[in-house]
Amino acid sequence: MKLSEITQKPQLIEVLLDDTEIVEEFGEELIFYTWDRQPLEIFMQLANLTVDADNNNGIIDIVRKLILDNKGKEIITPNNVLPTKVLMKAIAKVTELLGK
């Protein structure tokens, strides 16, 4: 099979935070979106982070690009942040998806 046969435009996928702790605190599961495949620029930024693990600003920039609303817009901005516990769970969920 040729690689060109499996290329396609990235699609938004729904990601569910539904563990007991989240549901107990917020009364329901939390939903966010991310891309089903990452654009090359994000992939390269992730690769560079593994080389420079002390680059906190780089990590923050990538996290912003991976946690999206249903229209593909970043939900973490300089003025809008998630509670730390939720942010950590969202990062873990996206990391899990990237590994698949």
Side-chain angles (χ1 to χ4, degrees), residues 48-56 59:
N48 286 335
L49 283 180
T50 60
V51 173
D52 184 11
D54 293 330
N55 183 357
N56 291 331
I59 294 169

Short mmCIF file of all heavy atoms in Angstrom, two decimals, residues 48-56 59:
data_model
loop_
_atom_site.label_atom_id
_atom_site.label_comp_id
_atom_site.label_asym_id
_atom_site.label_seq_id
_atom_site.Cartn_x
_atom_site.Cartn_y
_atom_site.Cartn_z
N ASN A 48 10.80 17.55 19.45
CA ASN A 48 11.80 18.44 20.03
C ASN A 48 11.69 18.50 21.55
O ASN A 48 12.70 18.68 22.24
CB ASN A 48 11.69 19.85 19.44
CG ASN A 48 12.20 19.92 18.03
OD1 ASN A 48 13.02 19.11 17.61
ND2 ASN A 48 11.69 20.86 17.27
N LEU A 49 10.50 18.36 22.07
CA LEU A 49 10.33 18.39 23.53
C LEU A 49 11.00 17.20 24.19
O LEU A 49 11.47 17.31 25.31
CB LEU A 49 8.85 18.42 23.89
CG LEU A 49 8.16 19.76 23.73
CD1 LEU A 49 6.71 19.64 24.13
CD2 LEU A 49 8.83 20.84 24.53
N THR A 50 11.01 16.06 23.51
CA THR A 50 11.66 14.90 24.12
C THR A 50 13.16 15.14 24.24
O THR A 50 13.79 14.61 25.15
CB THR A 50 11.40 13.61 23.31
OG1 THR A 50 11.91 13.77 22.00
CG2 THR A 50 9.92 13.29 23.28
N VAL A 51 13.71 15.96 23.37
CA VAL A 51 15.13 16.30 23.44
C VAL A 51 15.36 17.36 24.51
O VAL A 51 16.33 17.32 25.25
CB VAL A 51 15.62 16.81 22.06
CG1 VAL A 51 17.05 17.32 22.14
CG2 VAL A 51 15.50 15.71 21.03
N ASP A 52 14.46 18.33 24.62
CA ASP A 52 14.60 19.44 25.56
C ASP A 52 13.45 19.41 26.56
O ASP A 52 12.53 20.21 26.51
CB ASP A 52 14.61 20.77 24.80
CG ASP A 52 14.86 21.98 25.70
OD1 ASP A 52 15.22 21.78 26.87
OD2 ASP A 52 14.67 23.11 25.22
N ALA A 53 13.51 18.49 27.50
CA ALA A 53 12.41 18.27 28.45
C ALA A 53 12.22 19.44 29.41
O ALA A 53 11.19 19.53 30.07
CB ALA A 53 12.65 16.98 29.23
N ASP A 54 13.18 20.34 29.51
CA ASP A 54 13.06 21.48 30.42
C ASP A 54 12.37 22.68 29.78
O ASP A 54 12.27 23.73 30.38
CB ASP A 54 14.45 21.91 30.91
CG ASP A 54 15.08 20.85 31.79
OD1 ASP A 54 14.34 20.11 32.47
OD2 ASP A 54 16.33 20.76 31.80
N ASN A 55 11.87 22.52 28.57
CA ASN A 55 11.24 23.61 27.85
C ASN A 55 9.77 23.72 28.22
O ASN A 55 8.89 23.27 27.50
CB ASN A 55 11.41 23.39 26.34
CG ASN A 55 10.85 24.54 25.52
OD1 ASN A 55 10.28 25.49 26.05
ND2 ASN A 55 11.00 24.44 24.22
N ASN A 56 9.48 24.34 29.36
CA ASN A 56 8.09 24.44 29.85
C ASN A 56 7.20 25.26 28.93
O ASN A 56 6.03 24.93 28.74
CB ASN A 56 8.07 25.03 31.26
CG ASN A 56 8.66 24.08 32.27
OD1 ASN A 56 8.60 22.87 32.10
ND2 ASN A 56 9.25 24.62 33.31
N ILE A 59 6.04 23.10 26.10
CA ILE A 59 5.00 22.17 26.54
C ILE A 59 3.64 22.87 26.59
O ILE A 59 2.64 22.35 26.11
CB ILE A 59 5.36 21.55 27.91
CG1 ILE A 59 6.62 20.68 27.77
CG2 ILE A 59 4.19 20.76 28.48
CD1 ILE A 59 7.21 20.24 29.08
#
